[in-house]
Amino acid sequence: MAKLALEGGTPYRKRPFPRREPFGEREVELVVEAVRSQNLFGPTGDKVPEFERRFAELYGVRYAVASTSGTAAIHIALGTLDPEPGDEVITAPITDAGTVVPILYQNCIPVFADVDDTYNMDPEDVERKVTPRTRAILVVHLFGNPCDMERITEVARRHGIPVIEDCSQAHLTEYKGRYVGTIGDMGCFSLQQSKHMTTGDGGVTVTSREELAERMALFRDKGWTRKPGWGRRSYLFLAPNYRMTELQGAVGLAQLEKVRDVVRRRNELGDMLTQLIRDLEGVVPPPVTPGGRHTYWLYPLRVTKWPAERFAEALTAEGVSASAGYIGEPIFLCMEALASKRTFGRSGHPLDGCHGARVPEYAPGTCPKAEEVLRQMVTLGLHEGYTQEDVEDMAGAIRKVAECLKDG
């Protein structure tokens, strides 16, 4: 039997995997155009409006509002709903803080629905968490695997609750013939460096509802109407400044030209890796939601026979970089603002019962399935620049570790 590299054996993969190179000459060309225009201000430029138009066209929706980050895109969606202080937003326990920060900044209470076997929000637990104060359901399509949107939208319709989709990790991800982000009331996308398409950082919020689109655009720009006939200035409501620049818009236009191929290739490579390791005892490949198509922002394994930390360490030693746990604990335990209920200054607002809201409890056991998943999870990087040989080496290293690592 082969000897693990962790124990002095020869690593399975001896050379580095290819570095991702998302940018090319087309991005350079359009950025130079933007700079030469002598105007990098999005509201009066031409790159950002064109990027918004083409992004909406790609997804088959009527409106897209570009912004500074995925977090901003989610905040725009929540701000558009204009919730009351103390209202509740049901969301996912396995996510980035960028999903939760907008909820708190809109003075709302994050409520966490546990996950199912897809690692996404369990629609049954979503319904259990609905109260008279629930203002929105904010679903997260984790790792590029779509949520069960059919059942979640059924819950939302029964209770008259809007659905916001966090598609930060799920560009052009399909669910039953539709793209995620177009199924709920609003969809939110991140353009951060690691995403399927990127402007370094940036975000987009989409909808096909005109009344939402108007407020989305205003919320992105301090509530400023920018319309003639209103006097020198008119700010209709309290809102931040999340305007995208022409530089980001220029890069975004180039990225739109290639994102279909990026997503198609990631799907092919991720599915290939799953086929190569699906017979391994104790290793569970990424689940795919029925009716969905995984786009593999990351490739999440679950290991059931060994500690995830030990498996990730052994796999990394074999030349395949791996991390244990993704975020380690559910977001309400690893995000200090929630875990300690310290948010603004020394206060715990809005988690302090303000405006008749309930005081939430964020403790171990709140989402037991999510805790179990994270204890067993090992994540691997995978991008469109990999070759079939690269994926075969990943599979070979996983197989070697699974066969040689002593049972945990």
Side-chain angles (χ1 to χ4, degrees):
M1 180 180 289
K3 189 176 184 180
L4 288 172
L6 200 64
E7 298 169 354
T10 302
Y12 192 94
R13 171 86 176 202
K14 302 179 187 65
R15 67 186 189 283
F17 283 88
R19 185 181 71 163
R20 187 179 184 220
E21 297 181 348
F23 308 122
E25 290 306 310
R26 180 62 171 156
E27 284 84 357
V28 173
E29 175 189 349
L30 292 176
V31 166
V32 169
E33 279 185 14
V35 172
R36 285 179 173 163
S37 76
Q38 300 301 319
N39 175 34
L40 299 182
F41 185 53
T44 58
D46 56 16
K47 299 293 191 228
V48 172
E50 181 66 7
F51 171 70
E52 291 174 327
R53 186 188 69 76
R54 292 192 190 177
F55 195 95
E57 184 179 75
L58 176 66
Y59 279 89
V61 295
R62 294 176 64 193
Y63 307 102
V65 172
S67 58
T68 54
S69 69
T71 304
I74 295 168
H75 196 185
I76 287 167
L78 282 172
T80 294
L81 294 180
D82 198 21
E84 296 293 331
D87 279 354
E88 298 171 4
V89 177
I90 300 173
T91 193
I94 305 178
T95 190
D96 179 78
T99 305
V100 178
V101 166
I103 301 173
L104 294 174
Y105 268 83
Q106 280 304 117
N107 291 302
C108 291
I109 310 299
V111 175
F112 296 95
D114 209 353
V115 302
D116 59 20
D117 290 337
T118 69
Y119 314 155
N120 285 320
M121 295 160 66
D122 180 353
E124 292 184 7
D125 201 41
V126 169
E127 185 148 37
R128 283 192 289 267
K129 300 294 172 64
V130 171
T131 76
R133 294 297 299 265
T134 303
R135 186 64 181 92
I137 299 170
L138 174 52
V139 301
V140 177
H141 301 291
L142 189 67
F143 301 135
N145 185 40
C147 293
D148 186 343
M149 291 302 295
E150 185 172 61
R151 291 171 63 201
I152 286 174
T153 53
E154 284 174 3
V155 171
R157 279 195 297 268
R158 267 198 304 275
H159 295 276
I161 302 168
V163 175
I164 299 169
E165 299 180 70
D166 179 351
C167 311
S168 296
Q169 301 176 1
H171 288 260
L172 290 181
T173 298
E174 296 178 27
Y175 175 79
K176 297 191 174 181
R178 299 177 66 183
Y179 289 134
V180 298
T182 71
I183 302 167
D185 296 271
M186 287 175 278
C188 309
F189 297 83
S190 170
L191 303 175
Q192 183 268 341
Q193 180 73 21
S194 69
K195 301 307 191 291
H196 300 81
M197 61 174 288
T198 175
T199 59
D201 221 331
V204 187
T205 311
V206 302
T207 189
S208 286
R209 293 175 53 185
E210 184 177 3
E211 75 278 13
L212 295 178
E214 182 177 357
R215 187 175 171 95
M216 281 161 46
L218 287 167
F219 194 88
R220 179 260 311 271
D221 191 14
K222 300 176 286 188
W224 190 354
T225 60
R226 293 187 185 272
K227 293 179 180 178
W230 287 76
R232 294 186 64 182
R233 295 288 175 103
S234 178
Y235 302 98
L236 298 186
F237 50 81
L238 181 65
N241 174 2
Y242 288 143
R243 296 186 300 251
M244 176 179 276
T245 73
E246 286 286 276
L247 290 175
Q248 292 166 291
V251 175
L253 284 169
Q255 291 281 297
L256 283 172
E257 296 172 3
K258 62 182 77 172
V259 65
R260 286 188 188 275
D261 289 338
V262 167
V263 168
R264 175 190 54 77
R265 184 59 176 162
R266 287 197 181 210
N267 174 258
E268 291 174 353
L269 294 169
D271 285 356
M272 182 191 306
L273 181 53
T274 292
Q275 289 298 322
L276 291 170
I277 64 171
R278 66 183 316 138
D279 63 319
L280 285 177
E281 184 181 354
V283 176
V284 182
V288 180
T289 301
R293 189 167 180 258
H294 208 307
T295 53
Y296 301 103
W297 176 70
L298 283 180
Y299 189 91
L301 295 174
R302 284 179 71 187
V303 294
T304 59
K305 292 177 61 178
W306 317 271
E309 293 81 2
R310 183 66 172 166
F311 195 95
E313 182 185 18
L315 192 53
T316 298
E318 296 298 335
V320 177
S321 181
S323 299
Y326 182 47
I327 58 172
E329 296 180 298
I331 193 67
F332 53 81
L333 297 179
C334 69
M335 185 176 174
E336 194 61 24
L338 297 177
S340 67
K341 293 184 183 174
R342 182 160 179 171
T343 50
F344 301 98
R346 282 178 276 185
S347 82
H349 185 79
L351 309 175
D352 54 4
C354 67
H355 300 277
R358 64 182 168 122
V359 177
E361 288 299 321
Y362 302 125
T366 301
C367 294
K369 181 74 172 180
E371 292 180 44
E372 177 189 31
V373 164
L374 289 170
R375 280 195 299 269
Q376 297 178 337
M377 185 172 286
V378 173
T379 58
L380 312 179
L382 180 71
H383 65 73
E384 62 279 3
Y386 279 26
T387 65
Q388 180 175 335
E389 183 184 359
D390 294 326
V391 172
E392 289 171 348
D393 279 353
M394 291 176 72
I398 293 168
R399 184 172 297 276
K400 177 182 175 183
V401 171
E403 291 174 351
C404 297
L405 194 64
K406 295 178 181 177
D407 290 356

